[in-house]
Amino acid sequence: MKKLSYVLVFLLITGLLLGACGGQEEAPVVVDEPVEDVFLACQVTDVGGIDDKSFNATAWKGMEDAVSALGIEAKYLESQQQTDYEANINAFLEEGCDLIVSVGFLLGDATAAAAAANPDQKFGIVDVNYLAADNLYGSGFSINEATFLAGYLAAGMTETGVVATYGGIQIPPVEIFMDGFVLGVEKYNEVHGTDVQALGWDYVARNGLFTGNFESTDDGRTMGESLLDEGADIIMPVAGPVGAGTVAVLEERGTGMVIGVDNDWAVQYANQADQILASALKNMDLYVYETIEAAMNGTFAGGNYQGTLDNGGVGLGYGGVDVPDDLKGEIEALIPQIVSGEVATLPVAGEEPAEAGLPDLGGVEVTVAVENAYLPFNYIDPDTGEPAGWDYDVWDEICVVLNCVPVYVEAAWEGMIQAVADGQFDAAGDGITITEERDEIVDFSVGYVAIEQRLLVRVDEDRFETIEDIVADTT
């Protein structure tokens, strides 16, 4: 708590004194007047930074709203790496903040330790709702309810029949975005008898596509390019600033739409609003504002806030794309069903998705073309002389599940596409670039690896300066 300060108010009283000595100035009167302390709220960001156009920025909006409406002072410290979490919290402890709000699941341990060591300090935290302390008010968000609506919307708007999602780091607050999205797609398929595919997340196996960070827009570009190449025309990135890379790719290609997360991406990316289909809103600013208000008026208590569709903690906001009124009506009708629990927006334990039933191929032989020259996917082991690699392993496993017998046939990679299209092989496994022409004659699996090839040049090389200087002569 800031120290109570005082100002000295000097009241100069001038008067005339009647007497033999004539007029005389009276001595100054000093009055001590207390100045009301200003509430100080402090935010520790995750590594995305305060202007991440995502959860850090949304939480900070709650701080800024409190500055405007409640007259508080607000400060923030940006975490550049995970080791900054504890240091930033300790810095705010030293500064005497009335409330410290940390932002993000990854700050849970550092916040819990600080709360335990400083029982008289009030703490809040975004995306952590499993801690219990009298001086800590955590928060969770049923964002799956909003992304369920987003998935339903995506399935109703796709032109390719393929939509996708990907995450930053695989942690529970990211997974539930993806859970809701895929279940929303499945709900649309159930209602309309369609077969829209959702790439990027398997809620039964609990695995999918993740960039491994919340910072790299380059990773967002790579992921966006890969998913577009696989046919997805609507993508929901759940990765903070990483998603900006995907927005940029869609703008450059002039195709596809994005579903934003956390806040309104049609506002955050106003210049690309015509490619923002909608945003799954996670109203962390509301939680932050209400926590500050409670700390100011003496009603702060330990516990956890849970944002839902019902209390306005989460929601769906439409972007700059025209959505048919009948589809909007279907989405609106789902909300009371979700609130009542009639429609589930998270996977039910032990329940397989409707399309998870797999065929029994009855022991049929499946011919698989392989090059045997593409480490580590298919090659001849020099020690044993036997074929080996990922393609062999995965097809062996597929045939265990489907009751088939893989028969591997060595073939040159440049002829594989046409050979599969002509029925010479049932399938093929190799490193092959997906092009529009190839995609028209064969079906490609979901991508399982992306390779960015680079040319290495000596640092003292002076025969060329740009990539154009070393382009191959094709004449």
Side-chain angles (χ1 to χ4, degrees), residues 419-439:
V420 171
D422 293 342
Q424 183 178 346
F425 306 115
D426 295 311
D430 209 45
I432 299 173
T433 301
I434 302 173
T435 64
E436 291 184 5
E437 182 181 358
R438 291 170 176 172
D439 202 25

Side-chain angles (χ1 to χ4, degrees), residues 61-383:
K61 179 181 179 298
M63 292 273 183
E64 292 182 313
D65 289 346
V67 169
S68 299
L70 304 176
I72 71 162
E73 182 181 354
K75 295 184 176 182
Y76 66 84
L77 286 173
E78 293 182 297
S79 302
Q80 303 302 321
Q81 53 196 1
Q82 293 185 18
T83 53
D84 292 340
Y85 298 158
E86 181 180 356
N88 285 341
I89 292 173
N90 287 338
F92 276 147
L93 286 168
E94 289 292 325
E95 189 159 349
C97 301
D98 295 295
L99 174 69
I100 299 174
V101 178
S102 48
V103 183
F105 181 83
L106 297 176
L107 282 83
D109 290 344
T111 305
N118 301 274
D120 294 329
Q121 172 68 53
K122 296 179 179 66
F123 289 89
I125 185 167
V126 171
D127 271 351
V128 172
N129 62 352
Y130 57 83
L131 300 175
D134 292 340
N135 61 329
L136 174 61
Y137 187 55
S139 65
F141 296 85
S142 299
I143 191 62
N144 46 285
E145 296 180 349
T147 57
F148 182 96
L149 301 177
Y152 193 97
L153 170 64
M157 291 293 291
T158 179
E159 295 181 356
T160 64
V162 181
V163 299
T165 183
Y166 70 85
I169 296 174
Q170 188 170 0
I171 52 179
V174 172
E175 291 179 342
I176 66 169
F177 275 90
M178 302 164 83
D179 284 334
F181 182 79
V182 175
L183 286 170
V185 173
E186 291 183 0
K187 181 64 175 179
Y188 184 90
N189 286 337
E190 175 190 326
V191 171
H192 291 271
T194 50
D195 187 29
V196 176
Q197 302 299 303
L199 308 180
W201 180 239
D202 182 335
Y203 62 74
V204 176
R206 310 307 293 171
N207 59 40
L209 298 177
F210 295 89
T211 61
N213 67 82
F214 292 117
E215 306 94 51
S216 174
T217 55
D218 286 343
D219 288 345
R221 291 183 63 89
T222 300
M223 195 69 78
E225 288 169 346
S226 176
L227 291 170
L228 286 173
D229 290 344
E230 290 178 42
D233 62 348
I234 299 174
I235 303 172
M236 185 183 77
V238 190
V242 175
T246 301
V247 174
V249 167
L250 267 62
E251 182 181 26
E252 290 168 9
R253 292 197 180 186
T255 186
M257 294 178 282
V258 170
I259 292 176
V261 297
D262 293 334
N263 52 22
D264 189 344
W265 281 28
V267 174
Q268 297 294 332
Y269 300 96
N271 292 335
Q272 296 84 25
D274 59 347
Q275 290 185 293
I276 307 299
L277 174 58
S279 296
L281 304 174
K282 189 174 180 179
N283 298 320
M284 295 165 282
D285 53 327
L286 177 64
Y287 155 75
V288 170
Y289 182 92
E290 291 181 351
T291 303
I292 292 171
E293 194 171 38
M296 291 182 70
N297 64 25
T299 61
F300 180 95
N304 290 290
Y305 167 89
Q306 189 66 29
T308 65
L309 282 176
D310 195 30
N311 64 17
V314 302
L316 181 71
Y318 293 100
V321 178
D322 288 333
V323 177
D325 289 340
D326 56 349
L327 180 55
K328 284 185 175 181
E330 290 180 38
I331 291 170
E332 191 67 26
L334 284 169
I335 294 175
Q337 298 177 55
I338 292 171
V339 170
S340 69
E342 180 183 347
V343 171
T345 60
L346 285 175
V348 178
E351 184 176 286
E352 295 284 320
E355 68 272 22
L358 298 175
D360 184 338
L361 300 184
V364 67
E365 290 187 348
V366 175
T367 57
V368 182
V370 289
E371 186 183 5
N372 284 337
Y374 193 58
L375 285 164
F377 300 101
N378 54 74
Y379 59 95
I380 301 299
D381 190 317
D383 295 327

